[in-house]
Amino acid sequence: MDIHSTTLLAMAIIFLGAFVQTTIGFGLAVIAAPLLFLINPNYVPGPIFIASLIISILNTLKYRENIEIGGLKIAVIARIPGSILGGILLLYASSTHLSLWLGLLVLLALAISLLPFRIEPTQNRMAFAGALSGFMGTSSGIGGPPMALLLQHQEANALRGNLSAFFLFSAIISIIVLICIGHFTLHHLFISIPLLPATWAGYRFALFSMQYISKEWIRYSALLLCFVSGMSAIYQGL
């Protein structure tokens, strides 16, 4: 696959991820990371975080009145040591191991999203989820599931707002860690640029279509896609 085809495919994947995240609150990295890794490992995790940062800014601004900063503070603080540990893993893991790790995380995210019971977001659980999100996110780009599990029973706009605010800080933290360990360079920044209009387009299309498409239909379609991409990443890593 030539560089132009790879770029267009990456843009299409990010468009889909941004659409899903705007609609249900999270999902950009869960969908995009394993697919992008298959077409070009350089897209994971650095450029994923650039796209995540943009979509998080857009959704944070849209749902800013629904954000509860106090409740997120401990999770954001705990994400810092988790992100450092995730960066250490990146230093020693091979691309094969990372592909397997990505696939397993995607399947874990699927399992979490289907859990039938409710977990209350206490301070200790928020701290643990923030640290785990940092470790998972910085090492693979997929850091949303732990926080989404804790906050999934919030009202829809509160869920979107709080997750977006957390992801905004998370993306900044992870990008700083990746720069420090040499996993985010000018090359990663360069290949991130075409993903920006795709992220914005996915966001705008989600706002337009949310009134016409069932949220549950989007969720289950995203779960099916995640299962396929997760299994593909695992197969690649074996």
Side-chain angles (χ1 to χ4, degrees), residues 7 9 29 34 50 58 60 70 76 103 107 112 123 165 172 188 192 195 198:
T7 300
L9 185 55
I50 295 296
L58 292 171
T60 297
V76 171
L107 296 186
I112 286 174
Q123 286 287 295
I172 294 171
H188 295 104
S192 300
L195 305 183

Side-chain angles (χ1 to χ4, degrees), residues 81-217:
S83 296
I84 293 173
L85 290 176
I88 292 172
L89 176 63
L90 268 183
L91 287 175
Y92 297 101
S94 66
S95 60
T96 299
H97 290 151
L98 284 177
S99 181
L100 184 60
W101 174 235
L102 271 171
L104 292 174
L105 285 182
V106 169
L107 296 186
L108 174 62
L110 281 177
I112 286 174
S113 68
L114 296 173
L115 288 175
F117 55 85
R118 178 172 184 154
I119 301 177
E120 293 298 330
T122 64
Q123 286 287 295
N124 288 338
R125 288 170 181 165
M126 289 286 281
F128 178 76
L132 184 59
S133 175
F135 176 72
M136 292 169 56
T138 304
S139 60
S140 69
I142 302 173
M147 288 299 294
L149 172 63
L150 272 186
L151 302 180
Q152 64 178 318
H153 296 290
Q154 290 187 337
E155 184 272 330
N157 286 344
L159 174 66
R160 295 184 185 109
N162 287 321
L163 285 179
S164 296
F166 176 76
F167 294 153
L168 192 160
F169 288 109
S170 297
I172 294 171
I173 293 169
S174 288
I175 289 171
I176 291 172
V177 171
L178 291 175
I179 291 172
C180 290
I181 65 173
H183 276 253
F184 191 86
T185 63
L186 287 176
H187 172 68
H188 295 104
L189 182 61
F190 177 75
I191 64 175
S192 300
I193 293 174
L195 305 183
L196 303 186
T199 304
W200 182 84
Y203 166 78
R204 295 298 304 176
F205 184 65
L207 296 184
F208 169 77
S209 61
M210 280 168 66
Q211 56 185 319
Y212 302 108
I213 304 176
S214 163
K215 178 182 173 182
E216 285 302 306
W217 185 90

